[in-house]
Amino acid sequence: MDAQGRGRADDIDPADQWVLNPNTGEYELRLGSSAPQSGVPSPRKPRPSEAAPPARSRSEAPGRSRPETPGRAAPPRRRRGAPEEPLPGRRGRRPAKKAAKGRKVLLWTGGAMAFVLVAGAGAAYFYIEHLNDNIASVSDDGASTGGFSKDKAINILLIGTDKRTGKGNGSYGDAGSVGHADTTILLHVSKDRSNATALSIPRDLIVDVPDCPTTQEDGTQKIIPGTQQVRFNTSLGQDGRTPSCTMRTVTELTGVKPDNFMVADFNAVKTLTSAVGGVEVCVGKDLDDPDSHLKLSKGTHTIEGEQALAFVRTRHAVGFGGDLSRIGLQQQFLSALMRKLKSNDTLTSPSKMLDLAEAGTKALTVDSQLDSIGKLKDLGLELGKLNTKNLTFTTTPVIDNPTEKVKATVVLNESTAPQVFDMIKNDVSFTAVKERKKKEAAAVAARLKGTKAPASEVRVRILNGGAVAGSAQETLSWLQNEEGVTKSENAGNAPAPLAKTTLEYAPDQADQARRLADLMGLSGSAMKPGESVTNDQGLPAMTLTLGKDFEGAGVSLTAPAKAPEGVQKSTADKVECAK
């Protein structure tokens, strides 16, 4: 028996649970006494006003929409910005001799979707509208990039609130809390999906919260004034702030603009851990925390539901008893949950996948760019490509607030935090790269090795390809007046914007390129061997295009190659015991 007591999924071929309904022409899940019961609610019986339409005549072309039946009410549904993507496997009506093929399992899995927020999903197409109705969404208020893209790096902001909502949650969190950002993780997934970084942001970190344009319940816009030098967790809930304000605060703090956000309360941990049958955690000592109601003996334990929630909430029984100690515990829990989600025990169980779809969609509040099961599925498939050994958990580097006698808050560690933020912003992995990537990195680094021409011999045209207005002229003045690159000129705007600054040069200009790269702090990846162009004097010149990453003349553009010394990190594939 699995955790839900529904019987073993492998006792029956899932394909045999699908039958053709002659009234609708669609395949539906058979829930007879011989089949194991799943978490899918049975399709509701049609009301008298929703009688089935007459069968389509042979003269009607397949695939064309049928005229609306007079008097037939359309089922209520929440409209979204884009049409739902049909589930793989759906092809409409078929001849009876092909019915067996049509009854193949109509399941898809979302992988490990943003840890505890969306674990995975499996459903038949008639179940999609039900799942869509589970999802709550709020406006991103223009604070996001507009949503994740499959061909770019992905940044998802995960927020756990301390709001007391839901049955049985009255004893958790702060009484009367409007729902602050109690647990916040910025999940960065690399462009090639080979690695990811989960950056925890302490709730007691002192930050500046910017002004936040916020959509009100009546649809009007209101700007909530920002506040300076306050706890990070007040970026949500306080003064009516929504998750879009937390998103703006993260952008101000890290320089990384999230693509989407997901918010969950206490129920997410309880329902999702129960849906997968519990997760295995390890503690290095006996734990007894009366505040969180956690009581575990030294060793490994499988926890779910209330006990799982107590585990991620406890802090007094581990480490130094503060929020930073609890962050480490939460990261260990998320690693364990991700391992369980990607295990065969979960992915091959239709009942568990359906339970996860139900629990995950009910636990979520997402932004308006991510408000359908189709979009969540696409995100899940991208995240599902990750290998747990290349998912690194780390925490924003902080130190105790030096202005406090009684230490209650923390501030950024300015010597290491900027480097961590730059690694995420520049898509640099916190884990060791594969051998192939090492060879590629060595080839790129080799572009910087060799002789460098004198600055007076460097001939370059400067284009603005996405930097702030005036950057090309600023760079020209700096190069000519301070660095001696007198053979340089402002060539105006580039034909198209670039995310990254680039320097294109011909093979015989490599020594000039190395000198300019040294002056500007360009990495080997910014150097693009190619062709020279003709400058205003009719002479061959290199082309320097300032991208959106350009922060000013004299500011280095070289991203850090590895995490700074002393930064705490762990990977999701390893079991670590809390102490």
Side-chain angles (χ1 to χ4, degrees):
M1 296 291 285
D2 65 17
Q4 302 304 314
R6 293 191 176 92
R8 293 180 56 190
D10 54 358
D11 288 342
I12 185 168
D13 183 355
D16 292 334
Q17 300 181 50
W18 296 91
V19 296
L20 180 68
N21 185 331
N23 295 322
T24 64
E26 297 181 340
Y27 290 95
E28 297 178 357
L29 186 63
R30 178 172 60 197
L31 297 175
S33 58
S34 62
Q37 299 299 301
S38 75
V40 185
S42 300
R44 63 178 177 82
K45 296 180 180 180
R47 300 187 182 93
S49 62
E50 295 177 331
R56 186 175 61 196
S57 66
R58 293 187 180 183
S59 62
E60 290 180 318
R64 295 182 180 176
S65 60
R66 187 186 296 114
E68 293 185 5
T69 303
R72 183 183 182 191
R77 65 180 63 184
R78 181 172 58 186
R79 294 183 63 84
R80 289 176 170 81
E84 294 299 334
E85 180 180 338
L87 213 61
R90 179 174 182 175
R91 295 181 174 84
R93 300 188 64 176
R94 305 181 181 193
K97 65 180 181 179
K98 294 184 179 180
K101 183 178 180 180
R103 289 198 300 267
K104 294 297 182 183
V105 182
L106 300 181
L107 298 172
W108 43 256
T109 171
M113 185 183 296
F115 315 126
V116 302
L117 298 181
V118 175
Y125 48 77
F126 75 83
Y127 191 39
I128 294 300
E129 284 303 316
H130 169 74
L131 292 178
N132 276 331
D133 289 340
N134 283 348
I135 302 171
S137 66
V138 295
S139 176
D140 70 343
D141 296 314
S144 75
T145 62
F148 78 95
S149 299
K150 294 182 179 180
D151 58 346
K152 296 180 180 179
I154 297 175
N155 294 294
I156 306 294
L157 189 63
L158 313 175
I159 308 170
T161 76
D162 59 356
K163 190 174 183 178
R164 293 183 176 183
T165 58
K167 183 178 179 181
N169 288 336
S171 61
Y172 302 134
D174 297 327
S177 173
V178 291
H180 295 117
D182 195 53
T183 299
T184 305
I185 295 175
L186 177 61
L187 173 64
H188 171 82
V189 184
S190 67
K191 180 179 179 179
D192 63 5
R193 308 297 184 256
S194 67
N195 64 88
T197 302
L199 177 70
S200 294
I201 302 175
R203 68 174 190 178
D204 296 326
L205 174 62
I206 297 299
V207 297
D208 292 339
V209 178
D211 293 345
C212 299
T214 306
T215 303
Q216 306 298 296
E217 291 185 2
D218 61 1
T220 61
Q221 283 278 326
K222 175 184 177 182
I223 296 180
I224 300 175
T227 53
Q228 285 70 49
Q229 296 299 289
V230 292
R231 279 181 166 89
F232 175 85
N233 67 345
T234 61
S235 64
L236 176 65
Q238 201 79 9
D239 302 321
R241 294 179 179 128
T242 64
S244 67
C245 193
T246 304
M247 184 177 275
R248 293 184 193 278
T249 305
V250 168
T251 302
E252 289 285 323
L253 175 69
T254 66
V256 179
K257 192 171 188 177
D259 301 306
N260 300 98
F261 65 70
M262 297 180 178
V263 185
D265 60 19
F266 296 126
N267 280 322
V269 176
K270 294 194 294 185
T271 57
L272 287 171
T273 53
S274 295
V276 298
V279 298
E280 187 176 275
V281 296
C282 177
V283 292
K285 62 179 181 180
D286 294 342
L287 300 182
D288 188 357
D289 186 349
D291 290 327
S292 68
H293 311 297
L294 177 69
K295 191 170 185 178
L296 291 176
S297 59
K298 179 180 179 180
T300 58
H301 301 267
T302 298
I303 59 175
E304 64 176 281
E306 295 283 350
Q307 193 176 36
L309 179 57
F311 185 85
V312 299
R313 289 187 64 246
T314 195
R315 58 174 173 162
H316 298 300
V318 293
F320 295 104
D323 186 53
L324 295 179
S325 298
R326 178 168 60 179
I327 286 176
L329 206 65
Q330 291 170 346
Q331 292 174 348
Q332 183 209 142
F333 170 82
L334 294 173
S335 297
L337 179 55
M338 188 157 186
R339 291 193 297 272
K340 185 62 176 286
L341 293 175
K342 293 179 77 70
S343 69
N344 288 333
D345 180 52
T346 300
L347 297 178
T348 60
S349 170
S351 64
K352 286 186 179 180
M353 296 306 292
L354 291 170
D355 286 344
L356 282 168
E358 190 76 29
T361 51
K362 284 183 176 179
L364 279 174
T365 297
V366 300
D367 68 85
S368 48
Q369 310 292 337
L370 197 63
D371 64 349
S372 74
I373 197 66
K375 294 175 184 177
L376 289 171
K377 177 210 65 171
D378 289 342
L379 175 59
L381 292 174
E382 293 301 308
L383 300 180
K385 298 174 183 178
L386 287 171
N387 188 318
T388 54
K389 70 179 182 180
N390 293 326
L391 168 59
T392 304
F393 288 93
T394 189
T395 303
T396 302
V398 295
I399 58 174
D400 287 333
N401 190 339
T403 65
E404 296 176 337
K405 292 183 178 179
V406 178
K407 304 304 180 185
T409 63
V410 293
V411 297
L412 280 185
N413 184 335
E414 296 292 351
S415 66
T416 53
Q419 187 172 338
V420 170
F421 298 154
D422 283 347
M423 290 182 68
I424 294 175
K425 188 162 53 175
N426 290 284
D427 203 19
V428 178
S429 174
F430 278 67
T431 57
V433 294
K434 297 177 181 178
E435 191 63 31
R436 176 180 61 82
K437 288 186 172 293
K438 287 183 180 179
K439 293 180 179 179
E440 292 175 356
V444 168
R447 297 171 189 168
L448 296 170
K449 297 177 180 179
T451 59
K452 300 180 181 68
S456 59
E457 295 181 9
V458 173
R459 191 177 288 111
V460 61
R461 299 171 71 247
I462 306 168
L463 297 174
N464 191 329
V468 297
S471 293
Q473 184 59 42
E474 177 193 0
T475 302
L476 176 67
S477 299
W478 174 72
L479 285 174
Q480 289 186 341
N481 299 328
E482 298 186 32
E483 302 299 335
V485 184
T486 55
K487 298 176 181 178
S488 51
E489 62 186 51
N490 183 349
N493 292 326
L498 297 177
K500 304 287 186 181
T501 296
T502 62
L503 175 62
E504 184 176 359
Y505 58 96
D508 61 350
Q509 296 170 320
D511 57 344
Q512 296 182 46
R514 286 190 285 267
R515 173 59 65 190
L516 189 60
D518 181 59
L519 293 174
M520 296 197 61
L522 294 176
S523 65
S525 60
M527 300 173 67
K528 306 296 181 184
E531 299 178 353
S532 63
V533 294
T534 303
N535 67 7
D536 289 345
Q537 287 75 42
L539 298 173
M542 301 182 295
T543 300
L544 173 67
T545 305
L546 306 178
K548 295 179 181 179
D549 62 336
F550 182 77
E551 297 182 354
V555 179
S556 176
L557 289 165
T558 301
K562 61 180 182 179
E565 294 295 328
V567 171
Q568 168 270 332
K569 59 180 182 177
S570 62
T571 53
D573 63 317
K574 296 178 181 178
V575 179
E576 297 188 6
C577 296
K579 297 180 181 180

